[in-house]
Amino acid sequence: MSDITTRQVGIDLQESDDNRAIIDAIREDNPDLTVRRLPGLVKVQCPGRIVVNRETVEDKLGRDWETGEFQLAIVSCAGNFSEWDDDQIIVSWEH
Amino acid sequence: MQYELRTQVIEPRRHTFQNVIDRRGDEPASRYLEGTLDIEPRNVYHYRPTWTAEHELYDPNFTQLLLTDPYSFLDPRQYYYTPYVTNRAAHHDEFGKSLAYIEQRGLLAKMPEGWRSIVGSAVVPLRHYESGGQLVSVAGSRFAYGTSIEQCCSYASFDRIGNAQMLSRVGIALADGTSDMLQSAKIEWIEGAHLQPLRKLTEQIMVCDDWAESLLALDVTDSLLYEVVFRGLDEAALTTGGGAYSLVAQYFTAWFADQRRWLDALVKSWCTDDGHGAQNRQTLESILDRWRGRALEAVMPIAAFIDAQVDGVFAKDLLGDTHAHETDVWNTKLGAQA
């Protein structure tokens, strides 16, 4: 990842008890993350890329979690899902 | 005429309760944290218990295993009342469905003689063991220091009643909807030679003064008993004609895996505690020395009884293997943090 762009990528998540754990996990895995809370909505932004790790989310959530469940949490996103497998989701502008 | 739509965000004055703010800052927190952190009173007690004047009403010194901060341990399952109840209701519904399937087809009654006597004389009497386990867990919910630990103990005690109920339902199903088997199982529990060591051990665990020690002694016994009687028999049942038993045994195995999650986390907290870690590891070792041999001796006759009923189960071998495996697991737990 040498020529990684630092253009902001962002994900908007619905605010709920379950998603709070997901947001905590995203915050832990992405140190440069900024979080904005709007009524019913949480906007997270990060330069370049956002990583969601299944293991971190499970840890925060206290139960098994499949990356597919991320669909239920997302409202919209700015960036491309450059990776979405069983263990990790990466949002960035590169493909 | 131009209109511009804008969102006005009104910041709430506080995002969560003070008990959470004090620890983690003013951010929205999970229901579990709001209902757990620093809930138990720590000071301004009324008076000391008359029956133990050296302790406060809530006192960390009811056990030798100490945590610098009892809230450094949190339930990995994050159970508070609602998710706990929802989860267990689902668990019992599933169990009820399996049992209904078995009852409709009379599968328990169709099992070979050997399997019927295993269930009737070794498995159903364990509801009395569960009852002892319930009292031990209740002691934890009263004497533990810190809501995080007490909460887990309370739920564990509810679980024990639930397990006893599930065992009772198996007994009732096996006796065609009558309580005959429950009565004979009680007689087995009080008089059956293969159950006396376990009954004795259960009573010894119940009268142990240190709530954490009794909880661990119970867990040491559980880890042998559940492994042999539920998970081990489950596998053997499928190949030797006890398929109906396998259908019910899985629920106990699943419960025990869940129980293990919080206990393992608690042991880890004890072992890795900044202030008390080394002391706790020594205490844990002496607790294990006191109870592991007794637990093995208590479960062995049950394994022998099972082997005498049905060929090809090898419960005694399984018990030996489990005991060895548990020894390794504990050594890792206590050694890794040393």
Side-chain angles (χ1 to χ4, degrees):
Chain A
M1 303 300 274
S2 53
D3 54 347
I4 187 166
T5 60
T6 53
R7 184 178 161 194
Q8 291 280 344
V9 295
I11 307 175
D12 298 358
L13 298 134
Q14 210 171 353
E15 191 181 33
S16 74
D17 224 23
D18 265 5
N19 291 356
R20 198 168 297 134
I22 300 176
I23 292 156
D24 276 351
I26 296 176
R27 229 196 324 213
E28 188 162 303
D29 289 335
N30 303 274
D32 300 334
L33 199 77
T34 51
V35 180
R36 272 178 58 220
R37 294 180 188 279
L38 301 169
L41 192 71
V42 178
K43 286 164 119 38
V44 297
Q45 278 198 325
C46 193
R49 62 197 304 220
I50 293 178
V51 182
V52 185
N53 288 316
R54 179 178 54 82
E55 280 188 3
T56 324
V57 176
E58 286 182 348
D59 200 36
K60 300 274 178 204
L61 212 50
R63 61 170 175 85
D64 288 348
W65 185 79
E66 290 174 9
T67 50
E69 291 179 62
F70 199 55
Q71 299 275 21
L72 305 174
I74 305 179
V75 176
S76 77
C77 69
N80 301 311
F81 283 100
S82 46
E83 187 153 335
W84 191 317
D85 60 26
D86 288 347
D87 297 314
Q88 199 174 51
I89 302 167
I90 297 176
V91 185
S92 67
W93 287 106
E94 293 85 18
H95 278 289
Chain B
M1 190 72 178
Q2 279 273 326
Y3 287 107
E4 191 186 356
L5 289 174
R6 278 201 327 208
T7 354
Q8 277 287 350
V9 179
I10 301 167
E11 275 293 321
R13 196 165 295 185
R14 44 168 67 230
H15 288 283
T16 179
F17 298 98
Q18 196 60 43
N19 57 331
V20 185
I21 294 175
D22 290 345
R23 279 181 178 271
R24 319 187 136 228
D26 190 5
E27 282 202 348
S30 68
R31 301 282 290 165
Y32 169 71
L33 291 171
E34 288 176 346
T36 303
L37 295 173
D38 295 309
I39 297 291
E40 186 184 63
R42 289 224 183 124
N43 48 20
V44 205
Y45 294 134
H46 211 101
Y47 45 80
R48 285 173 178 257
T50 47
W51 41 272
T52 169
E54 66 274 19
H55 288 111
E56 290 284 6
L57 210 50
Y58 297 116
D59 196 313
N61 297 314
F62 278 121
T63 174
Q64 288 196 300
L65 290 159
L66 299 170
L67 287 175
T68 315
D69 170 15
Y71 298 96
S72 60
F73 162 77
L74 288 172
D75 182 358
R77 307 164 305 176
Q78 298 183 32
Y79 280 159
Y80 55 97
Y81 190 78
T82 313
Y84 168 77
V85 171
T86 312
N87 188 300
R88 289 299 183 264
H91 185 76
H92 280 260
D93 280 350
E94 297 267 317
F95 173 81
K97 279 185 194 142
S98 293
L99 197 66
Y101 177 91
I102 291 169
E103 279 181 307
Q104 276 162 6
R105 290 159 185 76
L107 292 180
L108 282 168
K110 285 178 190 157
M111 287 193 305
E113 186 57 42
W115 274 104
R116 283 215 304 276
S117 70
I118 287 179
V119 175
S121 305
V123 178
V124 176
L126 292 179
R127 67 200 203 101
H128 301 285
Y129 168 80
E130 293 292 342
S131 178
Q134 188 239 337
L135 286 171
V136 168
S137 308
V138 164
S141 54
R142 161 62 185 91
F143 293 113
Y145 193 68
T147 310
S148 49
I149 304 175
E150 288 182 342
Q151 201 166 219
C152 290
C153 293
S154 301
Y155 296 147
S157 71
F158 302 158
D159 283 342
R160 293 286 176 175
I161 301 177
N163 291 346
Q165 281 179 350
M166 294 201 296
L167 289 168
S168 309
R169 286 174 70 181
V170 173
I172 291 169
L174 192 54
D176 270 341
T178 64
S179 63
D180 299 356
M181 178 156 285
L182 301 187
Q183 282 155 2
S184 65
K186 171 134 194 194
I187 294 166
E188 285 282 7
W189 177 251
I190 294 172
E191 293 169 9
H194 61 291
L195 289 167
Q196 292 325 293
L198 182 67
R199 187 161 75 98
K200 186 176 169 185
L201 180 75
T202 310
E203 289 174 3
Q204 284 169 339
I205 294 174
M206 274 159 60
V207 297
C208 175
D209 268 343
D210 182 325
W211 66 265
E213 177 166 346
S214 47
L215 208 60
L216 285 160
L218 183 72
D219 178 57
V220 164
T221 316
D222 277 345
S223 59
L224 298 177
L225 198 62
Y226 270 76
E227 186 64 19
V228 172
V229 173
F230 296 113
R231 207 195 59 79
L233 279 191
D234 182 351
E235 284 179 17
L238 290 170
T239 51
T240 53
Y245 174 71
S246 158
L247 275 173
V248 293
Q250 59 172 327
Y251 293 98
F252 296 91
T253 309
W255 170 78
F256 189 55
D258 191 66
Q259 163 87 343
R260 258 338 238 299
R261 287 179 65 194
W262 74 268
L263 268 169
D264 285 346
L266 182 56
V267 168
K268 193 176 165 190
S269 296
W270 277 327
C271 287
T272 53
D273 193 76
D274 284 340
H276 302 284
Q279 181 64 46
N280 284 344
R281 283 197 296 275
Q282 280 184 349
T283 311
L284 282 166
E285 276 199 53
S286 66
I287 289 175
L288 289 171
D289 287 347
R290 266 198 296 282
W291 296 98
R292 301 219 28 249
R294 285 198 236 174
L296 183 64
E297 282 165 26
V299 182
M300 190 56 89
I302 299 176
F305 173 83
I306 290 168
D307 284 344
Q309 306 303 314
V310 175
D311 287 334
V313 177
F314 307 118
K316 272 167 82 173
D317 299 349
L318 179 65
L319 180 59
D321 293 348
T322 308
H323 183 70
H325 173 70
E326 286 294 321
T327 310
D328 291 345
V329 169
W330 272 107
N331 287 343
T332 319
K333 275 184 203 167
L334 295 174
Q337 287 84 357

